[in-house]
């Protein structure tokens, strides 16, 4: 197949011919011939000169303009700490407000308290925060100093050698020498590696948390160096892009002395913070240093998020400020009116030094400011400190919850944002990734299709049904592997040799392992127990049981492969054997997997094992195969057996078995095979060939000295689990990847022969192309072959047009293979498998050389480099030949369905945003209960904005007919009032709605300004799936829902592609899974399993919100109640701004006496137990509706505070009226009564009583009396002229004091107690009902919970999941019934678009050839799904695969579903 020259190549030629700006190649001079000095634009690019003798002057002139390598992450210095910290603290308006009050109090005419007393609270708060900030910054300083003083080897120009210096001494242009296990100090361009192939391995765990190794390559032209790299002879100039934070993007070129250029990219850049692995020495030149490195540019710190309660609290504080100003205004006006009643100046009105008196208006203004100082406590400045302390306590209990700890990963929950814990209890929308979040991201090879033939791998499916049992078997097997076993048991734990077939090993087998034997033994590498874990290498992932039908064909293909030579002409149509061989070669070669061994983990294998060359032994093998007719001989190559088993041992292990029960269990297929699974051959039936004799004869034939018997097991280090799964699958069929270098890759065939392919070029996978290609030279035919794997939606469009075939039969075969492969892809997708297509292409030498030149020019380009590289890839990856497809299962995490169901019961809308294909995402949605079998599912796929608008409008109209118009919940002062809801019976008659949409449709929605219509439709949907969505689209969806609907959002993901979505939501949760730690590092909370989200939200979220919300409301009540006591007193002191309570008593009141109970309440209170919250998820709705803290609860608490303050003031006032007591004697009972009332109010709010609660309340009450007695006994002249000396002691001896202190709190709290009693008796709140259930004994509580759930469970929709549809309540122009083909007739309807509506199946076919008529009829199928109107039925004639599953039982995930799908 020749390489076709497409339009991209012509565009490139036109660009060169027309003199347009082009990318420089290696032959393009950088400097003009008449100019020896190049002028560089340092504002748009970075130019790096080497720091050696030849270029030292240029280096000195340029390098000083670049940042050094010293880092400083501290905020302060010794001199700037005090002013800068105070400046930052006074950015809080509350601190600024109290600073204003302190300044006012220093004015003599407005002084209320002693100046020092007024300064004390603010000074304490500022000092505490200053100490905290200083300690944190000092820790950062110590860490910076430790990093900056780390040692590294830097090339010294004067000494002409490498000298050990500190990291802070590194400059741009320096040569750095790094050794194995050293951390890279700056961003360095790799120029030398001790690896002969020029490869350097990196571990990027410090950067992104990923433990799998990455490969970096030396810049082209420097890989073939003899001896050590000499920096003095490096005379090149490096030009690259300016510093940026793109970790995976880097481009530049190197100017050589001969004025040519060599391009390089991110594959040659060593990033700061990574660790050198498996490479003895690496040398490079510094490109970016210090704060200009990519790692430091990405270290922007966490985004500050304000919680919903904090936002609500700021609004209420403004209300408090308004209330404060109103009270101060009343005081000022009252002062003016009261002074106006005196005909002469009263004796207490003191004139100034000139004998003049203040005007009444000015006196009133001064009194206004004085009242602000007096009533300052109305603004709860201590509330901020209390909230921070409460959140620390809540985070402590989160960290110590064993239910949120994962034993497998040894990880507990991480709280990375301490200021939004209460938002966990108010989430309304959850946006989740699919792969790695809902699923385990453990890719397991399940099925494959080769040349149109499907291989279901039933034995492998059975093995995967009990993964835990297999894992335990593997553990038991490992204990025996260091012992000697007969050959028939040395193959691995999962298979046992039978009569020509493979039998899965059961637990009973592993319990009776024969220990003694005289057969040849094998050293198995897995007995090494000290090896570090290798990513994507669990037993579930790497153990694959081969398919019985495919295995003999693979053996034939391997034998056919060895008969190839460069003299054989290519056939017009590939044979089955050649296609199978190419299929498994593509699985083995087309990847970036690194090979290591278990005895030397992470030590890359570069030298293939020595094997005999092809010769007479191969001919003898072929003769023996022909004589024995053992087509399934290679069944002995099991999933867990290393593929280096030689042929003699394989045959010797095929001992006849007498276990008939095992044979029956293994019987899956017949036809060509015996009932016991083995291929019927006369040799086996007659019993002429014995195992031992056959083993000896084959050993003689092979003449191989126990090939690979002592070789350890190979380990595969993959960058993605998909690659690892495919390599393990090929390994199970004995196509084993044994070594890889940048230039070569070696594959061992089933019979032990090794083929070494020369790698000519590798086109890595990217999210735009969605494919990967490897160009290799075949070692036998010398052909240049392109192996490509990628998404089916992409590969299918790149295949060669069948019409180009010269032979009609070939064209038919190609079309048939493509159609059957597509059918298998759809089948895999419906089963929830991840699909990949495998293809190849053969190109000529001349075409490849032309393309290679094109590619080199693109790589050397600095401008439009990405576009040019994409153009070259498109030029190569076309006219492909389809080899087959694979289906890989990504298993659901444990507990995901229960968690999804619980979140939905809690009223949380769950959206899945994934880049996976639509069919796979839909199947996973059904598996995890995101969609139900009775749901009506709308699937919208279109690129046209006009079509998208019409589809959304029609779907919205259809849904409104079911549900009626969506009415917003009524609100009163911003508080959502309960609206009328349908009863379960009436609600059950309306089917639930789901929406499936793809990335192209999302583009049409965002570009066509259809966001509001889209959101309106989603309001009726129980769940939404966005498939094939990019990371940018994910974040845009989250922002759209968050901002337009004004709801609380939560995003959860595990990969780097979820970072933008996580940061856009109100709460971002990262899962520490298989895709590194980038999502965790960008998140607010990190968990290890999706199921932990259930308790995190329903229990801890509810508790955190309930505690903090009620504590905030209590703080507002407490401060208003106490301040009003001073306000009422102003009416009896002439609005003079004086107080009846001692100043220190007022300070101690908030600082000691009433501070601890709210803290304990906010940390330990539990309104409902965890068990009840988990059993009744709908209780979570109280947080969504902000029932604990909203405008109504705020104003009720303010009114209650006013009432209680009136009672607490006027009952003592009336008691002591007309008596001769002094002012402090009058104020002491008021202070005592208010403290008692406030503490009892707190006790009434507490739902949980523990010893700590009781001790804190009683302790606060007793502390008040102890402090008061000591203070009043010692304060003789401390507050002259009014001293509180012996006031408390005198009150305690007065019986009236006790009577007043007992009756007044009762009167003050009686209305609240009465209200709580009525609420508890007649209240309809779910929280109150749950609290009553919580108080019951365990058995009765369980019965009540079951009764609750049964009453609230919706009734199933009649007939939705059954064979016939029953009528539902009348809906205009709706006809819900199912009909047979005889009784159903075509319906007519008018439409703007012609839609393909289908129920059970998803189709990839698009309706292209049917224009939208005015009247259209759709042929009904055997089942009618009229969910879009009476005429909208499932079309059966427009699908090529409408009859696929008629004769086979429904597989998992392919149940009957009531579904309306619109595919445009």
């Amino acid at each position: 197949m020749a390489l076709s020259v497409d339009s991209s190549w012509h565009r490139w030629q036109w660009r060169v011919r027309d003199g347009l700006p082009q990318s420089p190649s290696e032959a393009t001079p950088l400097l003009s011939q008449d100019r020896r000095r190049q002028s560089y634009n340092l504002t748009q690019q970075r130019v790096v000169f080497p720091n050696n003798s030849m270029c030292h002057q240029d280096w000195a002139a340029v390098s000083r303009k670049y940042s050094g390598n010293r880092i400083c992450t501290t905020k302060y210095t010794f001199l700037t700490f005090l002013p800068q910290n105070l400046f930052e603290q006074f950015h809080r308006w509350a601190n600024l407000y109290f600073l204003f009050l302190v300044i006012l109090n220093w004015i003599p005419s407005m002084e209320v308290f002693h100046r020092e007393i007024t300064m004390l609270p603010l000074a304490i708060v500022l000092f505490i925060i200053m100490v905290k900030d200083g300690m944190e910054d000092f820790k950062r300083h110590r860490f910076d100093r430790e990093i900056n003083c780390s040692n590294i080897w830097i090339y010294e120009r004067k000494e002409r050698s490498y000298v050990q210096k500190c990291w802070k001494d590194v400059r741009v242009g320096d040569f750095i020498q790094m050794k194995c296990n050293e951390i890279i100090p700056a961003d360095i361009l790799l120029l030398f590696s001790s690896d002969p192939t020029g490869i350097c391995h990196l571990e990027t765990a410090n950067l992104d948390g990923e433990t799998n190794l990455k490969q970096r390559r030396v810049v082209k032209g420097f890989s073939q160096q003899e001896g050590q790299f000499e920096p003095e002879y490096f005379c090149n100039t490096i030009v690259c892009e300016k510093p940026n934070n793109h970790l995976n993007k880097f481009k530049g070129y190197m100017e050589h002395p001969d004025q040519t250029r060599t391009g390089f990219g991110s594959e040659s850049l060593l990033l700061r913070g990574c660790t050198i692995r498996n490479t003895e020495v690496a040398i490079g030149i510094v490109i970016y240093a210090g704060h200009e490195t990519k790692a430091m540019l990405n270290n922007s710190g966490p985004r500050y998020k304000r919680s919903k309660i904090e936002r609500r609290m700021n609004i209420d504080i403004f209300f408090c400020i308004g209330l404060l100003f109103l009270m101060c205004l009343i005081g000022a006006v009252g002062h003016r009116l009261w002074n106006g009643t005196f005909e002469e100046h009263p004796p207490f009105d003191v004139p100034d030094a000139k004998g003049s008196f203040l005007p009444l208006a000015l006196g009133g203004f001064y009194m206004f400011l004085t009242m602000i100082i007096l009533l300052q406590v109305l603004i709860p400045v201590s509330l901020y400190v209390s909230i921070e302390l409460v959140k620390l306590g809540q985070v402590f209990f989160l960290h110590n919850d064993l239910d949120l700890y994962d034993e497998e990963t040894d990880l507990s929950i991480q709280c990375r944002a301490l200021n939004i814990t209460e938002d966990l209890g108010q989430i309304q929308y959850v946006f989740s990734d699919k792969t790695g979040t809902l699923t385990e991201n453990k890719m397991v090879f399940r099925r494959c299709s080769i040349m149109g033939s499907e291989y279901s791998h039933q034995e492998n499916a059975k093995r995967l049904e009990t993964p835990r049992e297999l894992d335990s078997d593997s553990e038991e097997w490992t204990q025996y592997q260091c012992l000697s076993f007969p050959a028939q048991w040395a193959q691995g734990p999962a298979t046992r040799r039978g009569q020509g077939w493979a039998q899965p090993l059961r637990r009973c087998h592993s319990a009776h392992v024969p220990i003694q034997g005289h057969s040849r033994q094998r050293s198995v590498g897995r007995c090494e127990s000290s090896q570090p874990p290798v990513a994507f290498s669990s037993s579930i992932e790497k153990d694959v049981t081969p398919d019985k039908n495919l295995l003999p064909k693979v053996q034939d293909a391997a034998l056919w492969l060895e008969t190839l030579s460069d003299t054989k002409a290519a056939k017009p149509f590939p044979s089955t054997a050649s296609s199978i061989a190419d299929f498994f070669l593509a699985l083995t070669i087309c990847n970036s997997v690194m090979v290591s061994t278990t005895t030397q983990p992470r030590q890359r294998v570069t030298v293939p094992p020595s094997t005999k060359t092809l010769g007479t032994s191969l001919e003898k093998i072929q003769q023996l195969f022909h004589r024995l007719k053992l087509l399934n001989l290679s069944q002995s190559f099991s999933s867990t057996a290393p593929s280096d088993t030689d042929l003699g041992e394989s045959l010797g292990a095929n001992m006849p078995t007498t276990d008939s029960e095992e044979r029956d269990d293994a019987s899956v297929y017949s036809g060509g095979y015996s009932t016991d699974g083995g291929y019927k051959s006369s040799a086996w039936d007659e019993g002429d060939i014995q195992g031992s004799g056959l083993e000896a004869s084959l050993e003689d034939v092979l003449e191989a000295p126990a090939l690979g018997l002592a070789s350890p097991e190979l380990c595969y280090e993959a960058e993605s689990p998909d690659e690892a799964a495919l390599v393990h699958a090929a390994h199970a069929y004995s196509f084993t990847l044994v070594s890889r270098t940048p230039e070569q890759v070696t594959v061992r065939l089933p019979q032990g022969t090794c083929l070494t392919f020369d790698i000519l070029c590798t086109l890595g996978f990217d999210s735009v192309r969605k494919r990967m290609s490897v160009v290799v030279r075949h070692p036998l035919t010398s052909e240049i072959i392109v192996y490509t794997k990628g998404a089916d939606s992409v590969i299918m469009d790149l295949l060669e047009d069948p019409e180009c075939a010269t032979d009609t039969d070939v064209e038919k075969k190609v079309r048939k293979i493509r159609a059957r492969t597509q059918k298998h892809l759809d089948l895999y997708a419906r089963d929830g498998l991840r699909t990949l297509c495998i293809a190849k292409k053969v190109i000529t030498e001349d075409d490849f050389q032309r393309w290679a030149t094109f590619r080199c020019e693109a790589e050397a380009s600095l401008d439009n480099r990405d576009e040019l590289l994409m153009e070259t890839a498109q030029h190569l990856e076309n006219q492909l030949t389809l080899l087959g497809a694979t289906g890989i299962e990504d298993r659901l995490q444990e507990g995901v369905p229960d968690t999804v169901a619980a979140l939905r019961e809690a009223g949380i809308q769950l959206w899945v945003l994934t880049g996976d294909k639509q069919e796979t995402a839909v199947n996973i949605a059904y598996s995890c209960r995101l969609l139900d079998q009775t749901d009506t599912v709308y699937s919208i796929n279109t690129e046209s904005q006009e079509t998208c608008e019409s589809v959304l409008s029609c779907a919205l109209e259809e849904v409104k007919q079911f549900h009626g118009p969506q009415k917003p919940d009524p609100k009163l002062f911003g508080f959502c009032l309960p609206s009328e809801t349908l009863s379960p019976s009436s609600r059950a008659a309306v089917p639930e709605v789901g929406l499936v949409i793809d990335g192209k449709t999302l583009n049409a929605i965002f570009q066509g300004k259809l966001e509001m219509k889209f959101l309106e439709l989603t309001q009726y949907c129980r769940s939404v799936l966005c498939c094939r969505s990019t990371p940018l689209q994910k974040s845009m969806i989250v922002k759209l829902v968050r901002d337009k609907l004004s709801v609380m959002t939560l995003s959860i993901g595990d990969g780097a592609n979820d970072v933008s979505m996580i940061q856009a939501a109100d709460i971002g949760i990262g899962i520490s899974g298989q895709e590194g730690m980038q999502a965790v590092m960008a998140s607010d909370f990190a968990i290890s399993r999706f199921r932990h989200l259930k308790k995190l939200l329903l229990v801890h979220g509810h508790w955190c919100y309930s505690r903090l919300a009620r504590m905030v409301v209590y703080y507002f009540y407490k401060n208003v109640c106490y301040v009003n006591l001073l306000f009422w007193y102003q009416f009896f002191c002439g609005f003079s701004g004086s107080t009846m309570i001692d100043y220190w008593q007022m300070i101690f009141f908030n600082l000691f006496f009433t501070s601890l109970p709210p803290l304990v309440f906010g940390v330990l209170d539990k309104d409902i137990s965890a068990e009840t919250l988990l059993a009744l998820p709908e209780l979570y709705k109280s947080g969504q509706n902000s029932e604990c803290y909203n405008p109504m609860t705020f104003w009720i608490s303010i009114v209650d505070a006013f009432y209680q303050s009136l009672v607490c003031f006027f009952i003592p006032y009336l008691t002591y009226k007309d008596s001769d007591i002094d002012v402090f004697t009058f104020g002491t009972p008021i202070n005592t009564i208010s403290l008692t009332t406030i503490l009892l109010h707190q006790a009434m709010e507490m739902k949980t009583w523990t010893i700590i609660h009781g001790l804190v309340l009683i302790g606060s009450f007793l502390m008040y009396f102890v402090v008061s007695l000591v203070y009043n006994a010692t304060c003789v002249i401390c507050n002259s002229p009014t001293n509180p000396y012996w006031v408390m002691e005198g009150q305690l001896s007065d019986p009236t004091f006790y009577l007043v202190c007992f009756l007044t709190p009762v009167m003050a709290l009686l209305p609240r107690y009465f209200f709580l009693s009525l609420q508890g008796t007649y209240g309809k709140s779910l929280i109150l009902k749950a609290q009553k259930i919580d108080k019951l004994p365990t058995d009765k509580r369980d019965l009540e919970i079951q009764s609750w759930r049964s009453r609230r469970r919706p009734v199933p929709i009649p007939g939705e999941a059954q064979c016939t549809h029953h009528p539902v309540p009348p809906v205009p122009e709706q006809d819900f019934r199912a009909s047979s083909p005889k009784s159903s007739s075509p319906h007519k309807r008018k439409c703007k678009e012609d839609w393909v509506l289908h129920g059970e199946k998803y189709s990839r076919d698009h309706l292209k050839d049917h224009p939208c008529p005015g009247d259209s009829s759709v042929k009904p199928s055997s089942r009618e799904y009229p969910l879009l109107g009476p005429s909208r039925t499932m079309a059966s004639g427009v699908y090529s695969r409408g009859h696929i599953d008629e004769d086979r039982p429904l597989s998992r995930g392919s149940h009957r579903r009531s579904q309306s799908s619109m595919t445009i």
Side-chain angles (χ1 to χ4, degrees), residues 202 215-217 246-252 264-271 294 865:
L202 296 182
Q215 293 184 0
R216 295 294 180 265
R217 300 180 181 181
H246 300 298
L247 294 175
N248 300 318
K249 292 184 179 180
F250 177 67
K251 58 184 178 181
F264 51 77
S266 59
E267 71 279 355
S268 301
L269 188 66
L270 309 181
L271 296 180
K294 292 180 178 293
R865 184 174 187 267

Side-chain angles (χ1 to χ4, degrees), residues 775-894:
V775 186
V776 297
R777 187 183 300 278
H778 201 287
L780 299 180
T781 63
S782 298
E783 291 178 321
I784 297 179
I785 305 177
V786 182
Y787 288 113
T788 303
K789 70 176 181 182
D792 56 327
S793 59
V794 175
I795 299 296
M796 285 297 186
D797 295 334
L798 299 175
L799 298 180
E800 185 181 17
D801 190 357
E803 295 180 357
C804 297
T806 57
D807 191 353
T808 307
D809 294 336
V810 173
E811 179 183 353
K812 291 181 179 179
K813 289 182 179 179
V814 171
R815 292 186 184 275
K816 182 179 179 182
I817 289 173
R818 189 178 301 185
R820 296 182 67 178
T821 303
Q822 184 61 63
K823 179 186 71 172
H824 298 153
L825 287 169
D826 296 336
L827 173 67
Y828 296 167
R830 287 206 310 273
D831 285 344
L833 303 182
R834 297 164 63 92
T835 55
L836 284 176
C837 281
I838 313 296
K840 66 170 287 189
K841 176 182 182 179
V842 180
I843 60 178
T844 63
E845 189 76 31
D846 294 338
D847 287 338
F848 175 74
Q849 292 302 330
R850 291 173 55 200
W851 179 86
T853 303
F854 188 14
R855 182 76 177 182
C856 290
E857 292 174 346
E859 289 176 344
S861 171
L862 192 60
D863 299 326
N864 301 324
R865 184 174 187 267
D866 296 336
E867 291 80 0
L868 293 174
L869 291 177
M870 181 69 66
E871 203 167 333
T872 60
Q874 293 173 352
H875 178 64
L876 181 68
E877 297 167 331
N878 56 23
Q879 302 297 314
L880 302 176
T881 299
L882 182 64
L883 295 175
T886 60
I888 299 174
E889 180 184 11
D890 190 5
R891 305 165 68 89
L892 269 182
Q893 288 188 21
E894 182 183 357

Side-chain angles (χ1 to χ4, degrees), residues 1096-1171:
L1096 179 63
L1097 295 184
L1098 302 187
V1099 178
H1100 289 286
H1102 174 84
W1103 283 346
C1104 290
Y1105 166 74
S1106 174
R1107 294 162 175 170
L1108 202 63
R1110 288 186 290 151
M1111 190 194 79
V1112 169
V1113 173
Y1114 174 77
Y1115 252 98
F1116 281 117
Y1117 149 79
K1118 176 173 71 76
N1119 285 31
V1120 171
C1121 181
Y1122 192 70
V1123 165
N1124 276 346
L1125 299 176
L1126 306 178
F1127 178 69
W1128 303 134
Y1129 181 68
Q1130 300 307 307
F1131 288 90
F1132 301 94
C1133 67
F1135 298 96
S1136 60
S1138 59
T1139 64
M1140 71 290 192
I1141 303 173
D1142 182 76
Y1143 303 144
W1144 285 104
Q1145 289 275 23
M1146 294 173 60
I1147 292 175
F1148 290 158
F1149 188 89
N1150 275 322
L1151 195 60
F1152 298 116
F1153 305 149
T1154 61
S1155 60
L1156 279 181
L1159 294 180
V1160 175
F1161 172 74
V1163 174
L1164 299 178
D1165 193 67
K1166 296 180 182 179
D1167 55 347
I1168 303 173
S1169 65
E1171 294 79 8

Side-chain angles (χ1 to χ4, degrees), residues 134 269 318 381 422 468 492 750 788 817 845 915 964 972 998 1006 1013 1037 1104 1107 1168 1332:
L269 188 66
F318 278 108
V381 65
E422 66 274 21
R468 297 180 183 273
T788 303
I817 289 173
E845 189 76 31
L972 179 62
D998 64 352
F1006 286 118
K1013 187 169 293 185
I1037 291 173
C1104 290
R1107 294 162 175 170
I1168 303 173
K1332 295 178 182 178

Side-chain angles (χ1 to χ4, degrees), residues 68-71 147-154 165-171 174-179 182-188 270-276 282 284-296:
N69 204 43
R70 178 193 294 271
I71 64 169
I147 293 295
N148 291 328
C149 294
S150 301
N151 294 325
I152 194 67
W153 292 93
I154 306 176
K165 293 184 178 181
C166 296
W167 278 26
K168 61 183 179 182
D169 300 324
V170 173
R171 302 287 297 178
D174 284 343
F175 293 96
I176 306 295
Q177 177 179 282
M178 298 155 290
K179 298 181 180 179
E182 287 187 351
I183 300 177
I184 301 170
D187 290 352
I188 296 173
L270 309 181
L271 296 180
R272 175 191 175 105
C274 299
T275 306
I276 302 291
I285 185 171
V286 177
I287 303 297
Y288 308 120
H291 289 278
E292 292 180 342
T293 58
K294 292 180 178 293
M296 294 301 295

Side-chain angles (χ1 to χ4, degrees), residues 1149-1378:
F1149 188 89
N1150 275 322
L1151 195 60
F1152 298 116
F1153 305 149
T1154 61
S1155 60
L1156 279 181
L1159 294 180
V1160 175
F1161 172 74
V1163 174
L1164 299 178
D1165 193 67
K1166 296 180 182 179
D1167 55 347
I1168 303 173
S1169 65
E1171 294 79 8
T1172 305
L1173 288 172
L1174 290 174
L1176 303 173
E1178 54 264 38
L1179 298 177
Y1180 185 81
K1181 295 178 182 178
S1182 64
Q1184 293 176 334
N1185 299 329
S1186 300
E1187 292 182 3
C1188 294
Y1189 180 33
N1190 52 64
M1192 182 176 293
T1193 56
F1194 170 76
W1195 287 112
I1196 288 176
S1197 65
I1198 296 299
V1199 172
D1200 193 20
F1202 267 89
Y1203 164 76
Q1204 292 186 20
S1205 65
L1206 284 170
V1207 174
C1208 292
F1209 178 83
F1210 282 101
I1211 288 182
Y1213 170 76
L1214 295 175
T1215 302
Y1216 293 103
K1217 187 179 180 180
D1218 299 330
S1219 64
D1220 57 352
I1221 60 172
D1222 58 40
V1223 62
F1224 283 160
T1225 305
F1226 169 67
T1228 299
I1230 294 179
N1231 200 29
T1232 306
I1233 290 169
S1234 64
L1235 175 69
T1236 306
T1237 304
I1238 289 173
L1239 290 179
L1240 289 177
H1241 184 105
Q1242 176 77 87
M1244 295 170 64
E1245 289 293 320
M1246 290 181 176
K1247 309 301 180 183
T1248 303
W1249 279 94
T1250 64
I1251 298 178
I1252 298 177
H1253 290 77
L1255 289 178
V1256 168
L1257 285 174
I1258 296 175
S1260 298
F1261 188 72
L1262 294 179
M1263 183 191 299
Y1264 165 74
F1265 284 98
V1266 172
V1267 171
S1268 298
L1269 289 172
V1270 173
Y1271 173 67
N1272 290 165
T1274 56
C1275 184
V1276 180
I1277 55 173
C1278 60
N1279 196 16
S1280 181
T1282 55
N1283 296 305
Y1285 180 72
W1286 215 251
V1287 172
M1288 179 60 75
E1289 286 79 358
Q1291 288 286 1
L1292 291 178
S1293 61
D1294 184 7
T1296 306
F1297 174 78
Y1298 294 99
L1299 182 63
V1300 170
C1301 289
F1302 176 77
L1303 292 179
T1304 306
V1306 173
M1307 291 292 297
L1309 296 173
L1310 192 60
R1312 169 163 288 270
Y1313 180 79
F1314 180 71
F1315 172 76
L1316 291 177
S1317 300
L1318 290 179
Q1319 190 180 44
T1321 305
Y1322 302 104
K1324 301 296 183 180
S1325 171
L1326 298 179
I1327 297 295
L1328 295 175
K1329 295 180 180 179
Q1331 290 172 354
K1332 295 178 182 178
I1333 294 177
D1334 242 355
K1335 298 176 182 179
L1336 299 175
T1338 304
D1339 52 348
K1340 293 185 178 180
R1341 184 183 63 182
D1342 295 339
L1343 292 176
E1344 284 293 331
I1345 290 176
Q1346 291 180 4
S1347 176
W1348 178 317
R1349 294 182 62 85
S1350 63
R1351 289 195 306 267
R1352 301 188 67 86
R1353 185 180 295 117
V1355 180
I1357 302 175
E1360 280 292 327
Q1362 320 209 344
C1363 295
T1364 59
H1365 291 275
H1366 300 285
V1368 296
V1371 179
E1373 298 183 4
Q1374 296 292 324
D1375 183 16
F1376 285 80
R1377 63 170 185 256

Side-chain angles (χ1 to χ4, degrees), residues 918 937-941 947 951 1389 1391 1393-1410 1416-1419 1425 1428 1431-1441 1459-1464:
Q918 182 167 312
V937 179
Y938 293 87
S939 175
I940 307 178
N941 307 101
T947 304
V951 169
R1389 63 179 174 90
C1391 65
E1393 302 293 337
D1394 194 5
W1395 297 335
V1396 179
L1397 307 176
H1398 54 93
E1400 174 190 358
K1401 304 178 179 64
Y1402 272 78
S1403 174
R1404 289 179 44 82
D1405 300 333
H1406 296 277
L1407 195 59
K1408 300 177 181 178
D1409 303 327
H1410 297 273
S1416 62
S1417 60
V1418 183
K1419 180 182 178 181
Y1425 293 84
L1428 286 180
S1431 64
R1432 303 170 191 182
T1433 58
M1434 184 176 66
S1436 61
V1438 295
Y1439 300 111
S1440 59
R1441 42 175 282 272
Q1459 172 180 312
S1460 299
S1461 176
M1462 296 179 288
T1463 305
I1464 308 303

Side-chain angles (χ1 to χ4, degrees), residues 595-611:
V595 186
S596 61
T597 62
T598 52
T599 54
Q600 291 182 324
R602 293 201 162 182
Q603 297 298 316
R604 186 161 55 92
V605 177
T606 58
V607 181
S610 59
T611 57

